[in-house]
Amino acid sequence: MERLELKEVQKLEGHTDRVWSLDWNPATGHAGIPLVFASCSGDKTVRIWEQNLSTNLFSCKATLEETHTRTVRSCAWSPSGKLLATASFDATTAIWENVGGEFECVSTLEGHENEVKSVSWNASGTLLATCSRDKSVWIWEVQPGNEFECVSVLQGHTQDVKMVRWHPTEDILFSCSYDNNIKVWADEGDSDDWQCVQTLGEPNNGHTSTVWALSFNASGDKMVTCSDDLTLKVWETEHVGMQSGGGFAPWRHVCTLTGYHDRTIFSVHWSRGGIFASGAADDAIRLFVENNESQVDGPLYKLLLKKEKAHDMDINYVQWSHGEKPLLASASDDGTIKVWDLVS
Amino acid sequence: MVSGLINENPVIYERKQRQQRSTQSLPADEYTVEPIDQQEIFDILFFFFLNSIFLDIKDPEHPYSLEELKVITEEAVEVDDQKSYVRVTFTPTVEHCSMATIIGLCLRVKLLRSLPPRYKVDIRVAPGSHATEAAVNKQLNDKERVAAALENPNLVDMVDECLAPSFD
């Protein structure tokens, strides 16, 4: 069996406080366009990093500052890669547009009562979701001229909502929370009538503490979640999206990966190639893959490798880049971002 | 702010006699790393006063240290320098002490400011000492909530006030 290694390609310094999150621009890294990602931090700024095509090294191309007045908790590129949404503890979400290499704040979404923790675009780039410590999830419709209209305020979580993620192909929204639950939201009618269609919690083999993050596999029929309960859980559905006869195909628990991390798992991300990475407060990155060894009752997923001391402090976020040969980026409390290559 | 004293007659314990530190274990040269031990962590938290926690900041009703109130004791500090790990277990003076979260936040901030960044710190209330023990522990160890709290100027003022050394 080939021996895989997570090789550190580069350590990026620039943020002056913990780095909370990052997002690879989906429109980059192919057709000769250099890879780009955005990162956001407790230093209230967002940084844009671009790869040099000849050296393969990343450098900071822009710093987006003086807009958010508190920590920038999360950032997300629109599917076209033209707009960047940034969610902040200052209770706002800012929308930035790349105008000839300069980033301009073209819209500010206000409405949440306090810290906005996560932001996500749907697959077509027509809807945006945000969530907050105010326990609500908001859905915004993208209108012409960089206008955003709130079409639904979803109440259901009983504590702050840590992350929102749209399904990779369907307009179905997933949220996870300090209340230990994952909720699935869908528009079952046709008039912005968004409803909670499923709650994955302790009675469904769910998590027993804060759920920090979730991620989908490439086909969108599986989801992995990570938690303060030190476990990762894999979920699946029979049908992606709404069934032809109407009605929602529920998600069910497949397996729980336990005993790997010994502190809170803050982040998990599934690559197109089927490897999911986790980042945790134990400073380590772990990679997992489906276990193809056909042993009866064997584990469904196995640890591919563990990178100890990947950072000097907690790892808050991990994400694979798009494309054939993805790179992994990790963001940490140590104020740095690292770019990793999976090599054999 | 809370009006009226939450615990009007707290039990006051004598301060424990400090152990003299052995001078024989002085490092041979300046490059020797001296491990952080239980007493050192306790000392960091020792100058940590209740005067602003229990009420009116201008008129402190409990001019006692957390140690004198047995809110924290040396035994309740577990430290593993090799693993860069500290756990502090504190005991709120009354079961419904609404200030448990603030005390815990102060302990966390004090350690954040005093320890090397590689340290992992867990703060918890002593088992059975607080009515909403699990909820308090969960909040104190959610770093996103702690980060957000520490961007709140009023809360930071309160924490700084608590952490100010006393001059008795």
Side-chain angles (χ1 to χ4, degrees), chain A residues 115-182:
Chain A
E115 297 97 272
V116 188
K117 304 198 159 183
S118 176
V119 57
S120 175
W121 298 86
N122 71 340
S124 58
T126 53
L127 295 170
L128 192 72
T130 56
C131 64
S132 161
R133 183 163 66 87
D134 69 13
K135 304 168 192 172
S136 68
V137 172
W138 290 43
I139 297 176
W140 310 78
E141 200 171 77
V142 186
Q143 314 232 318
N146 290 321
E147 294 285 324
F148 291 77
E149 189 196 351
C150 175
V151 292
S152 197
V153 175
L154 309 173
Q155 309 281 358
H157 283 294
T158 59
Q159 294 286 343
D160 54 335
V161 188
K162 296 298 193 186
M163 186 188 248
V164 279
R165 279 294 175 268
W166 289 97
H167 186 272
T169 56
E170 303 295 316
D171 282 343
I172 297 177
L173 182 66
F174 293 71
S175 59
C176 55
S177 163
Y178 188 90
D179 69 12
N180 308 350
N181 290 323
I182 301 146

Side-chain angles (χ1 to χ4, degrees), chain B residues 60-102:
Chain B
E61 296 197 52
H62 281 322
Y64 307 112
S65 78
L66 289 181
E67 191 191 20
E68 287 165 312
L69 290 165
K70 287 247 161 151
V71 171
I72 76 157
T73 61
E74 195 169 321
E75 293 72 38
V77 176
E78 297 156 66
V79 56
D80 185 333
D81 187 61
Q82 289 260 295
K83 288 183 180 160
S84 303
Y85 177 73
V86 174
R87 183 167 73 177
V88 179
T89 306
F90 70 101
T91 311
T93 49
V94 285
E95 215 175 275
H96 292 277
C97 178
S98 56
M99 290 299 173
T101 321
I102 294 289

